[in-house]
Amino acid sequence: MGSCIICGTSVDGRICDLHEEDAVFEFRGTSPDQLSVGRYYRGSVDGFAEFGVFVDIGDSVTGLLHRSELDRRLDSLDWDSGDEVFVQVKNVRDNGNVDLGWSIRQSEREFRGVLVDDPDVGHSTLLEDEDEETTEAAEQSGNADGDEESPQSPEATSEDVDEPADDSAEAAVDADETSAGAVSQTGDADRVNGAGGTVGQGSDDATSDGTSAASTGGATAVVEADEQDATAAAEEAATEELSVVAVGTLDDHVGDDVRLEGEVVGIRQTSGPTVFELQDETGTVDCAAFVEAGVRAYPDVEEGDVARFEGEVRRRRGEIQVETAALTVLEADERDAVEQRLADALDDEARPEAVDPLTDDSTVDALSEDLVEVATHVRKAVLTDRPVIVRHANTADGYLAGSALERAALPLVTDQHRRSDAQYHYFDRRPLEGGVYDMDDATKDTTTMLDNRARHDETLPLFVFVAAGGTRESLDGFELLNVYGAPTVVIDDIDVDGAVTDAVDAVVSPSLADAPDTTATALAANVAAHVNDDVRDDLRHLPAVSVWEDTPQSYLDAASEAGYDETAVTQLREAVALEAYYQSYEDKRELITDLVFGDDEDDVGGLAGHVAEQFREKVDEEVSTARANLDVQTVGDSDIAVLDTDAFSHQYEFPPETLLLDELHREIRAEVDAVVGVATDTLYVRTDADVDLHELADAVAEAVPEGGVATRSVREGSIRYLAGEQSAVLDATLSTLSDDL
């Protein structure tokens, strides 16, 4: 007879029926009928099917973990063939089929022991005791031959005994030493446990009253201890002030009592201890606190608390763990000091090294500090498991800029997370109509992020607005995000409104540094190079691709060095512009990646060349029709070309009105001072003159007070109005525009 490793009850084996679920077994049998139903076993993934996962239990038996037993979708499992898993045997059928159940414990340390289930032996043994039992058997054999004196012989005094005197005591010590739940305390018997009482264990050798620690687990053996020495050790430990050490240095402190300070980022209750996951600026470590098997220690401690842990550093099954003796939640100044230390360390880690611009660019040079700040926000989000949502205009510039950030962030996300779907879970790119973040967009985003927080405990995302969000039309959307504290940054090439700068956490824009104009892609690509310098070679051609005319020579040179000549650059720009229009609300991640980063630069018949050919055919046809139907009006000293876009362009077909008017203006800018497109309730303005669209809309609204006139999108150059006032709004627009020109 032996003793249960958990409760000390006398049993034939190492564990009683009551506590079988607290241990995991390693199967050494050869037949399914040798398995014990209800037990948890260590297995390995053998293969996958539509209905579940096949798991090998030992070397000779395979069972099925049906998808109905899983706590998640089958396709979301990040298991590979051969991976170690932990399952419960639910049933062994007459035909030998084994039905398996899911175990929420997927690590050895979450069980209270690892035992060997060997049918040939007839009882279970501790895995780590197998060699010890063999050695003990040999020693006993030697004693029988008179080779040496048995430690249990009458001649052995209590002073010679260093271990418990019977099997029951040995089992209890094993439970204390091998379970993940045991808390060792070095001589201080008066430390307070998590439930507010006194921790009942002393050191591994003795408690302050001289009783073996094994006796708290049901053992009957008592070892002698020097009460005076134990008391002195306890007093010394109580008065000793522990120094705070970093989690990253715990390998150097195994066996030492230490103090740690950081944030509690996870709490899990095992059948033994409560395990707190503590994170400081150098890493994360598990801190096990034990009151009673399966009882929550320190029940008032919550995730997100900043706390101080004291305890002994141990290595259990190859991993560092702190056996917690005391835990204190920090408040007020102490909490603030730790939080500031963690924040500073995170900023230092997230802040990118100095990175050269992708090409010679005075605008990028002028905005270098802003670029670093925004890149730091993105890197910090990835490091802290905060999803990154990129919102960009549904234009070529928007898609190119968004894909640059995507190219930089995805490898970092993959390095940070093991989940196979991490690239979709922690990074998303969502196009915006007109580059305006209105209440409809903000409401969708807010609903999604709150749902993810409620269902998956997901941190609120970082929103990165690219070629979008720079003007006051987006303020309502930003304010909704601010209500919930979601961080936001803006990368935009147009004049960013001061109210927007105040509403978001960081901004990159030439207007804030009186720098020369450029594109949102040129800015975002340089931010991306700061986010992840490893992908800078993939980004060098993007600034040139984003410029529709008068491309800076430095941009073209960089593209050429990357393998893209002017023809390839033009084709790529037009191909992205065409694909940006279709399914404009979708990111089209794989298609855009194939276009922008595919090996197509030397193949004019490739994907970009094929799509660009469609772009040119459709645009040329529409522009030809538009030119034939222009109404050129002379207003004051200005010649303004007016196009009725409802009458002389195909609705809901490519190209959209904005792109058509851009192309038309580029062709006839030498003949007229401005181009105005008129739709049912929207008016578009194209001119090289310095015209403030907000001021233009305000002047027209004053002239036509019943017209409902307001700026729709500065990026689109559009003004909205009531359809019934179209004629009056057009006249007022032409008159005001003439004065500005």
Side-chain angles (χ1 to χ4, degrees):
M1 295 290 287
S3 299
C4 174
I5 65 171
I6 294 178
C7 65
T9 303
S10 295
V11 292
D12 183 13
R14 298 309 301 269
I15 193 165
C16 65
D17 293 340
L18 182 63
H19 290 105
E20 276 209 346
E21 291 190 359
D22 292 324
V24 64
F25 291 81
E26 183 175 293
F27 185 59
R28 298 285 178 85
T30 58
S31 173
D33 58 15
Q34 294 174 320
L35 291 166
S36 296
V37 174
R39 280 184 177 177
Y40 289 90
Y41 286 91
R42 176 164 51 197
S44 62
V45 176
D46 180 62
F48 297 86
E50 288 185 6
F51 45 81
V53 184
F54 292 104
V55 177
D56 290 337
I57 309 297
D59 296 329
S60 306
V61 176
T62 299
L64 173 65
L65 178 61
H66 194 270
R67 63 186 181 187
S68 62
E69 294 286 340
L70 297 171
D71 68 346
R72 66 198 73 177
R73 297 195 320 274
L74 183 63
D75 57 9
S76 69
L77 288 174
D78 58 357
W79 293 347
D80 293 322
S81 182
D83 282 356
E84 182 179 81
V85 294
F86 296 87
V87 293
Q88 184 181 37
V89 173
K90 306 283 285 189
N91 184 34
V92 178
R93 300 176 185 267
D94 293 339
N95 60 4
N97 290 344
V98 179
D99 298 330
L100 302 176
W102 167 259
S103 170
I104 62 172
R105 293 171 288 186
Q106 287 296 316
S107 170
E108 276 188 14
R109 64 186 181 187
E110 296 181 28
F111 293 91
R112 298 209 59 198
V114 183
L115 293 91
V116 176
D117 183 354
D118 191 342
D120 293 336
V121 173
H123 66 274
S124 57
T125 61
L126 277 169
L127 179 63
E128 55 199 60
D129 283 354
E130 284 186 296
D131 293 338
E132 295 178 10
E133 290 179 357
T134 302
T135 302
E136 290 172 2
E139 290 175 349
Q140 291 171 2
S141 175
N143 293 340
D145 294 334
D147 293 338
E148 65 179 68
E149 187 180 72
S150 168
Q152 304 298 330
S153 65
E155 290 82 359
T157 68
S158 60
E159 294 179 357
D160 297 324
V161 179
D162 292 328
E163 297 180 356
D166 60 26
D167 290 343
S168 181
E170 178 186 354
V173 171
D174 284 343
D176 218 22
E177 285 295 313
T178 63
S179 75
V183 178
S184 173
Q185 300 174 14
T186 56
D188 183 3
D190 296 324
R191 289 178 179 167
V192 177
N193 70 9
T198 301
V199 177
Q201 301 97 301
S203 69
D204 289 342
D205 296 327
T207 62
S208 60
D209 63 359
T211 303
S212 167
S215 66
T216 64
T220 58
V222 176
V223 295
E224 295 182 359
D226 188 324
E227 293 188 11
Q228 185 175 358
D229 290 345
T231 302
E235 291 176 351
E236 181 181 354
T239 57
E240 181 181 1
E241 181 68 20
L242 296 175
S243 300
V244 176
V245 302
V247 169
T249 67
L250 290 182
D251 278 326
D252 300 328
H253 293 280
V254 175
D256 297 338
D257 281 348
V258 299
R259 172 179 290 175
L260 304 172
E261 291 179 348
E263 180 183 357
V264 178
V265 296
I267 303 173
R268 63 182 185 274
Q269 181 62 53
T270 71
S271 58
T274 305
V275 180
F276 298 91
E277 190 175 0
L278 179 72
Q279 183 179 72
D280 71 1
E281 65 271 30
T282 64
T284 304
V285 67
D286 283 350
C287 301
F290 186 73
V291 179
E292 184 179 339
V295 176
R296 172 75 146 85
Y298 303 98
D300 294 334
V301 179
E302 300 176 350
E303 289 188 23
D305 282 344
V306 175
R308 176 183 297 125
F309 286 74
E310 294 181 358
E312 182 183 354
V313 182
R314 291 192 175 187
R315 192 180 299 278
R316 290 194 177 279
R317 300 184 180 92
E319 296 184 11
I320 290 293
Q321 178 175 292
V322 175
E323 306 293 354
T324 305
L327 191 165
T328 304
V329 175
L330 302 182
E331 302 290 348
D333 291 345
E334 287 186 314
R335 177 188 177 98
D336 293 343
V338 174
E339 287 182 333
Q340 188 61 52
R341 192 187 78 224
L342 298 180
D344 291 344
L346 180 59
D347 283 340
D348 290 341
E349 182 181 3
R351 189 173 182 83
E353 299 290 337
V355 177
D356 293 332
L358 293 175
T359 184
D360 184 20
D361 191 333
S362 60
T363 300
V364 171
D365 290 338
L367 298 173
S368 59
E369 292 185 6
D370 296 336
L371 294 170
V372 169
E373 182 180 5
V374 171
T376 300
H377 278 281
V378 175
R379 288 170 55 85
K380 187 188 297 185
V382 174
L383 291 172
T384 56
D385 300 339
R386 185 188 296 277
V388 177
I389 309 297
V390 174
R391 292 295 244 148
H392 61 80
N394 62 334
T395 61
D397 193 23
Y399 269 88
L400 290 166
S403 64
L405 292 171
E406 182 177 82
R407 190 72 167 182
L410 290 185
L412 302 184
V413 170
T414 300
D415 290 344
Q416 184 73 8
H417 303 279
R418 293 184 177 181
R419 291 179 48 166
S420 59
D421 62 347
Q423 290 191 353
Y424 290 90
H425 189 71
Y426 289 98
F427 186 94
D428 197 6
R429 182 167 52 76
R430 304 172 188 169
L432 282 170
E433 291 283 349
V436 174
Y437 190 62
D438 59 24
M439 280 298 291
D440 184 54
D441 301 307
T443 300
K444 290 178 182 176
D445 285 344
T446 302
T447 300
T448 300
M449 75 179 185
L450 294 180
D451 183 57
N452 288 338
R453 184 175 69 175
R455 296 175 59 189
H456 310 298
D457 198 26
E458 186 177 281
T459 306
L460 297 182
L462 166 69
F463 287 91
V464 182
F465 293 88
V466 187
T471 60
R472 67 189 69 165
E473 289 74 43
S474 297
L475 281 175
D476 288 344
F478 290 150
E479 289 172 358
L480 181 58
L481 294 181
N482 289 340
V483 168
Y484 291 97
T488 53
V489 298
V490 171
I491 305 171
D492 211 340
D493 58 312
I494 63 176
D495 289 349
V496 173
D497 196 289
V500 170
T501 303
D502 294 338
V504 300
D505 294 282
V507 176
V508 173
S509 172
S511 65
L512 301 182
D514 295 325
D517 290 341
T518 186
T519 63
T521 298
L523 300 174
N526 278 281
V527 170
H530 284 70
V531 170
N532 184 358
D533 189 48
D534 292 343
V535 301
R536 64 181 292 112
D537 288 343
D538 296 342
L539 309 172
R540 287 185 298 163
H541 64 297
L542 296 187
V545 174
S546 66
V547 181
W548 284 93
E549 57 182 344
D550 300 328
T551 308
Q553 189 60 45
S554 62
Y555 287 11
L556 292 173
D557 291 343
S560 178
E561 292 172 4
Y564 293 81
D565 60 19
E566 275 197 74
T567 299
V569 165
T570 300
Q571 288 180 336
L572 184 50
R573 179 191 312 119
E574 294 177 346
V576 173
L578 181 78
E579 294 301 346
Y581 171 77
Y582 293 105
Q583 298 291 300
S584 61
Y585 48 85
E586 295 286 355
D587 64 357
K588 302 179 281 288
R589 179 182 288 187
E590 287 76 18
L591 175 58
I592 295 299
T593 297
D594 286 346
L595 279 173
V596 177
F597 303 109
D599 299 325
D600 185 42
E601 59 269 21
D602 296 323
D603 182 7
V604 295
L607 178 60
H610 173 72
V611 178
E613 185 177 350
Q614 296 183 42
F615 171 95
R616 186 46 53 191
E617 289 177 358
K618 294 176 181 295
V619 169
D620 287 348
E621 179 182 351
E622 287 285 299
V623 170
S624 176
T625 300
R627 290 200 65 167
N629 292 281
L630 283 175
D631 176 19
V632 179
Q633 301 184 27
T634 301
V635 183
D637 296 329
S638 303
D639 292 328
I640 303 175
V642 179
L643 176 68
D644 185 339
T645 58
D646 284 343
F648 301 109
S649 68
H650 294 290
Q651 301 298 300
Y652 313 113
E653 291 186 17
F654 186 85
E657 294 161 324
T658 52
L659 198 151
L660 169 62
L661 292 167
D662 287 342
E663 191 78 7
L664 182 62
H665 179 245
R666 281 191 285 269
E667 285 200 12
I668 66 173
R669 65 186 349 149
E671 306 169 21
V672 297
D673 298 300
V675 174
V676 173
V678 183
T680 301
D681 61 357
T682 308
L683 184 146
Y684 303 89
V685 177
R686 298 291 184 270
T687 180
D688 290 332
D690 186 12
V691 174
D692 187 308
L693 195 68
H694 289 119
E695 293 180 359
L696 176 63
D698 290 343
V700 174
E702 185 176 355
V704 189
E706 304 300 325
V709 180
T711 304
R712 176 183 171 185
S713 170
V714 172
R715 179 168 297 281
E716 287 186 339
S718 59
I719 296 172
R720 57 182 173 81
Y721 56 85
L722 299 178
E725 295 290 341
Q726 183 186 83
S727 178
V729 169
L730 176 58
D731 290 343
T733 299
L734 296 180
S735 176
T736 304
L737 188 57
S738 175
D739 293 339
D740 291 341
L741 295 175

